[in-house]
Amino acid sequence: MIIFVFCVACSSNSTDLTFAELEAAGFKKEQQQYFQLVGATNAWSGRWANEDIEIYTFDDPDLENAPFYKSIKVNTNDSRWADKCVHRNVVLLSNGEQACKRLYKL
């Protein structure tokens, strides 16, 4: 029984994306962000698909309803972001519309 529970935990963690996987897919890290302020496990700004982006990783399985995600405004005069998306354990903010499309392919 303990082995079964352990394996279930391992398989759920295998669906999480890592920054190494994001970099292998073309993300170029530039500066680490203050991820602790929003409850993330890690965060970096950089470039992907010729767009300025920020990527945050979380342990929370319900990211679309998380206060941080809901607080991000897109396509407004007071926002630098044109798009935001959630995929697996990742929140991505972008000043374009291609980075989210690439994230969804992972």
Side-chain angles (χ1 to χ4, degrees):
M1 183 69 160
I2 293 173
I3 294 171
F4 176 76
V5 172
F6 179 74
C7 288
V8 169
C10 291
S11 66
S12 67
N13 289 337
S14 68
T15 63
D16 287 352
L17 288 170
T18 66
F19 275 95
E21 291 170 309
L22 295 165
E23 287 179 286
F27 171 57
K28 305 284 188 231
K29 283 183 184 177
E30 291 178 358
Q31 184 174 358
Q32 190 162 33
Q33 300 297 298
Y34 295 106
F35 58 91
Q36 301 93 336
L37 296 174
V38 297
T41 57
N42 202 351
W44 286 86
S45 62
R47 304 239 344 128
W48 199 9
N50 294 317
E51 298 172 3
D52 292 326
I53 66 167
E54 289 181 8
I55 297 179
Y56 296 80
T57 56
F58 290 85
D59 287 334
D60 185 357
D62 188 19
L63 290 176
E64 288 182 349
N65 292 312
F68 170 68
Y69 186 74
K70 286 183 167 185
S71 74
I72 303 300
K73 306 294 182 218
V74 295
N75 290 320
T76 64
N77 290 337
D78 59 342
S79 174
R80 70 178 279 213
W81 305 117
D83 199 7
K84 68 178 182 177
C85 55
V86 169
H87 182 61
R88 298 189 194 179
N89 63 313
V90 172
V91 169
L92 186 146
L93 311 175
S94 178
N95 70 348
E97 298 180 357
Q98 295 305 310
C100 281
K101 290 177 183 176
R102 291 199 183 173
L103 177 64
Y104 292 139
K105 292 179 181 180
L106 300 179

